[in-house]
Amino acid sequence: MSETITTIPGYKAGTWTIDKTHSSVSFSIRHIVISKVKGTFDDFDATFVTGENPLESSVTASAKVVSINTNEPGRDGHLRTGDFFDAETYPTIDFASTGMRLVKGDYLVDGNITIKGVTKPATFEFEFGGFGGDPYGNYKFGATAKTEVNREDFGLTYNAALETGGMLLGDKVTITLELQAALNA
């Protein structure tokens, strides 16, 4: 069930371009059962189109797989291989929204995420940080978006059993986006 939109202070309809220097695309996954490993995709792009009604807004986004960065070059190289993302064959991870909802006061962005050539539905929890001008005359918005996917749903099935029990990698991957975008003139 969706709710009625309330006014969002500073909200403007238009087309927005991601500010890469003030944004990040990160992920985390359970590692050897006891902790989580985090990483980023350092090369990404996104365009947001905000409608007069915020629920009529849309987003398209893409991250280049070769830009994966877990601060361990050997692991990053392995993640680019066919054991994981197969960056040569599938160079990007893509998301395209299909709708936006307001449920119990929370914004949800529904869409399709494509990883390793497999497209599945995903819903991001979307939290507006606010709207306002920067010192250079740009009008911006900030937001945080988060979702969780099962990596095996996308053919990322590499794993190894641990001598102590359990598996090397968890199945669930949390994707977190810290976003800042500028309104196009």
Side-chain angles (χ1 to χ4, degrees):
M1 169 174 275
S2 293
E3 299 176 15
T4 304
I5 292 293
T6 56
T7 303
I8 301 171
Y11 180 89
K12 290 185 180 183
T15 300
W16 306 72
T17 301
I18 194 80
D19 176 348
K20 294 181 189 183
T21 60
H22 296 105
S23 300
S24 65
V25 176
S26 63
F27 63 90
S28 65
I29 184 171
R30 178 94 26 215
H31 183 251
I32 64 169
V33 183
I34 61 171
S35 66
K36 291 186 179 180
V37 169
K38 295 183 178 190
T40 60
F41 290 94
D42 294 335
D43 191 356
F44 55 89
D45 202 8
T47 300
F48 304 86
V49 178
T50 51
E52 292 297 329
N53 174 347
L55 297 182
E56 295 172 357
S57 300
S58 64
V59 60
T60 55
S62 182
K64 291 187 180 177
V65 174
V66 297
S67 74
I68 197 165
N69 181 357
T70 64
N71 292 317
E72 169 43 52
R75 177 174 48 215
D76 297 344
H78 189 204
L79 289 169
R80 293 180 189 111
T81 71
D83 282 345
F84 289 96
F85 290 103
D86 193 1
E88 190 171 308
T89 305
Y90 306 101
T92 61
I93 296 171
D94 300 298
F95 178 80
S97 66
T98 58
M100 190 166 176
R101 303 177 278 142
L102 183 61
V103 178
K104 295 183 181 177
D106 296 324
Y107 287 96
L108 302 174
V109 177
D110 299 313
N112 293 309
I113 190 167
T114 302
I115 302 172
K116 202 174 179 181
V118 177
T119 302
K120 297 282 183 182
T123 297
F124 280 86
E125 298 170 0
F126 193 86
E127 179 184 339
F128 282 110
F131 293 81
D134 72 10
Y136 307 103
N138 300 302
Y139 196 73
K140 294 189 167 184
F141 83 78
T144 299
K146 185 184 268 190
T147 194
E148 185 176 270
V149 297
N150 184 323
R151 67 186 181 90
E152 292 187 345
D153 290 346
F154 299 93
L156 301 168
T157 58
Y158 176 89
N159 219 336
L162 300 172
E163 288 181 20
T164 56
M167 300 300 285
L168 177 66
L169 300 171
D171 296 334
K172 295 177 182 173
V173 178
T174 301
I175 301 169
T176 304
L177 312 173
E178 294 296 341
L179 307 168
Q180 194 173 114
L183 182 63
N184 295 349

